[in-house]
């Protein structure tokens, strides 16, 4: 913990003592009202018991997607005046039919998301909506489910108009998150608190499906019966507030042959245009949709057509929702990967809590980035967490090959020649008997990968065991479905070494806290909070660049202690951790 605090306070020398560090940090987190504010925001339901699971039947991924999609089709998005009477607003809309639910949020203005009970209510609302008069400019008429609400007498505001309560669609600040973690009761509670603060809310999830539905309305002008589906972090249960919205244009239902056979000796087909390859067809389709979004899509700005990428896409910002969006077409393997992660996340309450914490830790130390480069991706980190949990004794998560053995005929799925079959019914997968705490798992994760033989082994969640690397990339993580691909091929040796060094340091810090743990009622960073502070490794590297001096003996000893402990654990037979190999 003291090691991280050193890097946190730039004004202190690298060799600052523990007592010198804690005083300014205490002042930072003990401003008036902080404790009371934190207590008010504590989890109302408390932390989940380790390994405890909800006994109610779990919905399939496809069932959740279908329900969310139908919900979005009954929903409208309305840009509202900054001051509005919520009561009058709902009364006005209720003229068109009963409302299931609604919420307000802010993004370049005040917006309302309103879900009606029936689709017909939207048609009724559209029939009384006019195209705005733009004065000297010309409006492009487009009848959508995105509306702009204006008051008839804006110069005479009524006393009933007031600010409405808005839902939150962004993660807490780093300072606020650290405050919450410092006041947690245990490291387990810290990980669950971080999950609660960063995971997608119900409102944010609804807004993501609605955004896809609005884009689908635009695409349907060209491709009737098409579907725009969200995939990736928006639906796989590992999404963080503020993450991008990945969507794909599904054209499988367009022109699909009806199962109802017609009588007679004839077969009717649509007249279509042919192109040399499916890739060219994809590029042409996305080019047209990109032009349509740019010219006619309300709220779609900054449209970029990136058509020569390995997976062609259209990138744009949906200003009303605040989402950065990537649109691809017929990306069915990506959706299948989303479903697999959804299943793993739903099998055990510890999976998402550990994955969120590891990803937050990685971002805090610039191991991951929002821009492409040689960094480890969040997807790679999530698969590393899953692989680690498959290696526990007993395993917390099953291998993908085991999930395949549970599949029935309805689960069979072959996409572009790749076997993507696995059981889709969560209720047919037996829960793990492993009861290890999140605290232990966090510590063991860092120890396991701090001593993993990345130079010769690859990570494979399909089989759940290390394998010899088939190529020379520094980090090799096998794609679960396109097994010849390495999803971490972009990661450089320097970035991998940085990950290993930080993992070893984090394991050391957690082990030191076992001997000298501060009170959780205090305001100094401890446990997970201490791991999110700037690393002493980074401070040493910076000092070396500036002063051209070697690392201190203290840092050398730190690394040596981790290495020696890794060697001891490799020969341990207590059965509580997996066998690790020295890097």
């Amino acid at each position: 913990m003291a090691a991280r605090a050193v890097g946190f306070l730039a004004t202190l020398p690298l060799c600052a003592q523990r007592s010198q560090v804690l005083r300014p940090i205490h002042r930072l987190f003990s401003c008036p009202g902080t404790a009371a504010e934190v207590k008010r925001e504590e989890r109302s339901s408390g932390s989940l018991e380790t390994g405890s699971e909800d006994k109610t039947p779990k919905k399939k991924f496809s069932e959740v997607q279908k329900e969310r999609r139908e919900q979005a089709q009954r929903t409208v998005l309305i840009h509202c005046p900054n001051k509005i009477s919520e009561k009058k607003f709902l009364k006005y809309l209720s003229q068109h039919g009963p409302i299931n639910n609604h919420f307000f949020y802010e993004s370049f203005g005040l917006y309302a998301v309103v879900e009606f009970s029936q689709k017909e209510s939207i048609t009724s609302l559209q029939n009384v909506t006019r195209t705005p008069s733009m004065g000297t400019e010309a409006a492009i008429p487009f009848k959508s489910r995105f509306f702009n609400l204006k008051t008839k007498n804006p110069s005479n505001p009524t006393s009933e108009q007031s600010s409405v309560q808005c839902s939150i669609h962004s993660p807490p600040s780093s300072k606020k998150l650290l405050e919450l973690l410092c006041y947690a009761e245990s490291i387990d509670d810290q990980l669950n608190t971080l999950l609660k603060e960063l995971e997608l809310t119900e409102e944010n999830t609804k807004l993501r499906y609605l955004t896809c539905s609005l884009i689908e309305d635009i695409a349907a002008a060209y491709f009737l019966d098409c579907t725009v589906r969200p995939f990736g972090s928006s639906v796989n249960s590992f999404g963080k507030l503020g993450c991008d919205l990945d969507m794909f244009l599904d054209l499988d239902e367009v022109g699909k042959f009806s199962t109802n056979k017609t009588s007679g000796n004839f077969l009717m087909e649509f007249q279509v245009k042919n192109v040399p390859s499916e890739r060219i067809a994809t590029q042409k389709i996305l080019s047209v949709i990109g032009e349509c979004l740019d010219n006619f899509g309300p709220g779609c700005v900054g449209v970029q057509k990136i058509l020569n990428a390995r997976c062609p896409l259209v990138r744009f910002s949906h200003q009303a929702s605040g989402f950065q969006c990537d649109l691809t077409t017929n990306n069915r393997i990506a959706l299948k990967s989303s479903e697999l992660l959804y299943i793993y996340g739903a099998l055990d309450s510890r999976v998402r809590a550990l994955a969120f914490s590891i990803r937050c830790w990685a971002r805090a130390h610039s191991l991951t980035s929002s821009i492409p480069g040689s960094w480890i991706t969040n997807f790679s980190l999530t698969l590393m967490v899953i692989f680690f949990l498959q290696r526990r004794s007993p395993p917390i998560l099953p291998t993908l090959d085991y999930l395949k053995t549970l599949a029935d005929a309805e689960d069979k799925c072959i996409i572009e020649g790749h076997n993507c079959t696995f059981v889709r019914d969560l209720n047919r997968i037996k829960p793990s008997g492993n009861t290890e705490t999140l605290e232990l798992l966090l510590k063991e994760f860092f120890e396991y990968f701090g001593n993993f033989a990345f130079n010769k082994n690859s990570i494979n969640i399909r089989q759940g065991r290390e394998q010899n690397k088939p190529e020379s990339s520094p980090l090799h993580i096998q794609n679960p479905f396109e097994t010849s691909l390495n999803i971490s091929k972009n990661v450089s040796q320097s970035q991998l070494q940085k990950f290993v060094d930080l993992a070893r340091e984090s394991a050391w810090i957690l082990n030191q806290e076992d001997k000298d743990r501060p009170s959780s009622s205090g305001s100094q960073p401890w446990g997970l909070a201490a791991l999110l502070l700037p690393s002493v490794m980074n401070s040493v590297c910076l000092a070396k660049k500036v002063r051209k001096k070697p690392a201190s003996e203290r840092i050398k000893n730190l690394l040596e202690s981790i290495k020696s402990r890794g060697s001891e654990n490799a020969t341990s037979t207590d059965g509580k951790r997996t066998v690790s190999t020295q890097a």
Side-chain angles (χ1 to χ4, degrees):
M1 174 175 51
R4 290 292 164 84
V6 172
F8 183 65
L9 297 169
T11 57
L12 291 180
L14 186 62
C15 58
Q17 298 298 314
R18 180 185 178 109
S19 59
Q20 290 176 301
V21 171
L22 294 182
R23 282 196 297 271
I25 290 184
H26 181 80
R27 286 198 298 269
L28 174 66
F29 291 120
S30 58
C31 52
T34 297
E37 182 180 355
V38 171
K39 292 299 180 182
R40 280 197 302 268
E41 296 193 19
E42 283 184 345
R43 300 163 63 100
S44 58
S45 58
S47 300
L48 289 173
E49 185 179 337
T50 299
S52 64
E53 302 303 326
D54 188 356
K55 300 301 181 182
T56 57
K58 299 172 183 176
K59 294 181 180 178
K60 292 182 181 179
F61 180 78
S62 57
E63 293 172 343
V64 174
Q65 287 253 313
K66 182 180 178 182
E67 289 179 12
R68 293 286 191 186
R69 173 172 154 76
E70 291 175 349
Q71 191 178 60
Q73 290 174 333
R74 301 191 305 269
T75 303
V76 297
L77 179 61
I78 304 175
H79 183 215
C80 303
N82 288 332
K83 296 288 185 179
I84 188 173
S85 167
E86 184 172 0
K87 183 178 179 181
K88 286 188 174 182
F89 172 74
L90 294 176
K91 183 179 179 181
Y92 170 74
L93 290 178
S94 295
Q95 299 176 89
H96 303 283
I99 295 173
N100 279 356
N101 55 66
H102 74 285
F103 63 88
F104 294 90
Y105 71 94
E106 291 182 336
S107 172
F108 299 99
L110 180 65
Y111 291 86
V113 173
V114 181
E115 180 197 341
F116 287 101
S117 298
Q118 300 173 334
K119 286 184 182 180
E120 290 74 18
S121 299
I122 296 176
T123 304
S124 174
L125 179 59
Q126 288 174 326
N127 289 338
V128 298
T129 302
R130 66 186 183 95
T131 300
S133 174
M134 304 301 291
T136 58
E137 296 180 328
I140 298 176
F142 189 80
K143 195 173 183 179
S144 72
R145 288 180 287 137
F146 183 11
F147 302 92
N148 187 41
L149 180 69
K150 290 186 175 181
T151 54
K152 289 185 177 180
N153 299 307
S155 59
N156 298 315
T158 65
S159 58
E160 290 185 48
Q161 290 179 337
S162 60
S163 297
V164 295
Q165 184 175 358
C166 293
S167 62
I168 297 174
H169 291 265
S170 58
S173 66
S174 298
K175 179 181 176 181
K176 181 63 179 176
L177 185 60
L178 283 174
E179 290 174 357
L180 291 167
L181 296 181
C182 285
Y183 284 96
E185 296 180 357
S186 64
I187 291 182
D188 280 47
D189 192 37
Q190 285 183 328
L191 270 69
N192 283 318
T193 296
L194 184 139
L195 171 63
K196 173 181 174 291
E197 293 297 320
L198 297 185
E199 68 180 351
L200 298 183
T201 62
E202 173 68 12
E203 292 82 7
N204 192 265
T205 300
K206 286 182 177 180
L207 185 57
R208 289 172 183 271
Y209 277 86
L210 174 58
T211 302
C212 288
S213 190
L214 293 175
I215 301 303
E216 180 183 308
D217 289 349
I218 297 172
Y222 286 92
F223 304 102
L224 195 65
D225 299 326
C226 72
T227 305
V228 173
R229 303 183 189 277
F231 69 95
S233 54
S234 295
V235 298
N236 64 19
S237 79
F238 291 90
K240 170 189 170 185
L241 283 173
C243 67
D244 292 348
L245 173 55
D246 295 315
M247 55 180 83
F248 81 93
L249 178 65
D250 188 354
L251 301 175
D252 276 8
E253 297 300 319
V254 177
K256 198 169 186 179
F257 185 68
S258 175
T259 55
N260 298 322
K261 293 184 178 180
T262 56
S263 58
N265 298 321
F266 299 99
L267 177 65
M268 194 71 76
E269 292 181 338
F270 290 108
Q271 279 282 357
V272 296
K273 281 200 169 185
N274 297 323
V275 292
S277 68
E278 187 174 342
R279 179 176 175 83
I280 293 176
T282 295
Q283 291 172 327
K284 286 182 175 292
I285 290 168
L286 288 177
S287 179
V288 170
I289 297 299
E291 287 293 325
C292 195
L293 292 174
D294 196 17
N295 293 316
F296 310 129
C300 298
V301 299
V303 178
Q304 303 175 60
K305 295 184 289 183
I306 308 173
L307 304 179
N308 292 321
R310 188 178 78 87
C311 182
L313 61 94
V314 174
R315 178 167 293 162
F316 62 96
S317 296
H318 192 259
Q319 203 168 40
S321 64
F323 296 136
Q324 295 294 319
C325 305
D326 283 351
L327 174 66
T328 58
T329 181
N330 286 342
N331 197 356
R332 304 197 70 80
I333 287 185
L335 186 63
K336 203 65 182 174
S337 296
S338 302
E339 182 175 9
L340 179 63
L341 292 189
Y342 169 84
I343 287 175
Y344 277 131
L347 283 178
D348 192 287
S349 61
R350 293 166 290 181
V351 179
R352 294 172 63 239
L354 183 61
F356 269 73
S357 296
I358 295 298
R359 285 162 54 157
C360 185
W361 165 84
R363 190 59 184 266
H365 299 292
S366 301
L367 288 169
T368 56
S369 176
S370 59
I371 58 176
S374 60
W375 300 276
I376 298 175
T377 64
N378 279 330
F379 182 48
S380 293
L381 285 173
T382 303
L383 290 194
M384 291 173 78
V385 170
I386 291 171
F387 180 77
F388 166 73
L389 295 177
Q390 290 174 336
R391 299 287 295 159
R392 303 309 293 166
S393 179
I396 293 175
L397 291 178
T399 65
L400 178 53
D401 280 348
Y402 176 74
L403 295 181
K404 181 181 175 183
T405 65
L406 298 179
D408 56 22
E410 291 183 359
D411 297 321
K412 186 175 181 180
C413 179
I414 306 295
I415 302 175
E416 299 171 8
H418 301 289
N419 194 334
C420 303
T421 302
F422 55 84
V423 62
R424 305 175 71 188
D425 186 353
L426 284 157
N427 303 295
R428 291 167 55 194
I429 306 172
K430 185 179 178 181
S432 169
N434 185 301
T435 58
E436 291 173 314
T437 65
L438 280 169
E439 177 178 356
L440 176 63
L441 293 173
L442 180 66
K443 186 192 308 179
E444 297 270 314
F445 176 89
F446 290 128
E447 290 188 5
Y448 181 77
F449 284 111
N451 295 283
F452 189 86
F454 289 107
N455 60 323
K456 62 179 182 180
N457 289 336
S458 67
I459 294 168
N460 180 351
I461 69 165
R462 180 170 280 278
Q463 297 184 6
R465 58 184 175 85
E466 299 101 334
Q467 290 185 314
N468 292 331
K469 284 203 301 187
E471 57 173 62
S472 59
S473 298
L475 175 62
H476 190 279
I477 303 176
Q478 186 188 71
N479 186 302
F481 300 120
E482 299 176 270
T483 55
S484 63
L485 298 182
N486 173 15
I487 68 166
S488 55
K489 193 176 181 66
N490 63 300
V491 179
S492 66
Q493 182 61 49
S494 61
Q495 284 296 313
L496 176 60
Q497 189 58 50
K498 181 180 177 182
F499 169 84
V500 170
D501 291 343
L502 284 165
R504 290 174 175 176
E505 180 190 342
S506 297
W508 182 83
I509 290 171
L510 292 174
N511 282 318
Q512 289 300 107
E513 285 196 348
D514 281 345
K515 305 171 186 176
D516 184 23
R517 172 166 297 187
S519 170
S520 61
S521 60
S523 56
Q524 66 188 52
W526 65 281
L528 178 61
L531 302 185
L532 301 182
L533 295 178
S535 167
V536 71
M537 298 288 185
N538 294 338
S539 300
V540 170
C541 292
L542 182 61
K544 287 174 69 177
K545 290 179 181 178
V546 175
R547 303 172 188 173
K548 303 298 182 183
K549 291 184 180 180
S552 67
E553 288 299 318
R554 178 168 174 267
I555 303 305
K556 290 181 180 178
N557 292 338
L558 182 154
L559 290 175
E560 289 302 320
S561 68
I562 295 300
K563 289 180 180 179
S564 62
R565 193 177 190 281
S567 298
E568 294 171 4
N569 284 334
T571 58
S572 174
T573 57
D574 59 7
K576 288 187 177 181
R577 70 186 301 274
T578 55
V579 177
S580 61
T581 54
Q582 191 104 10

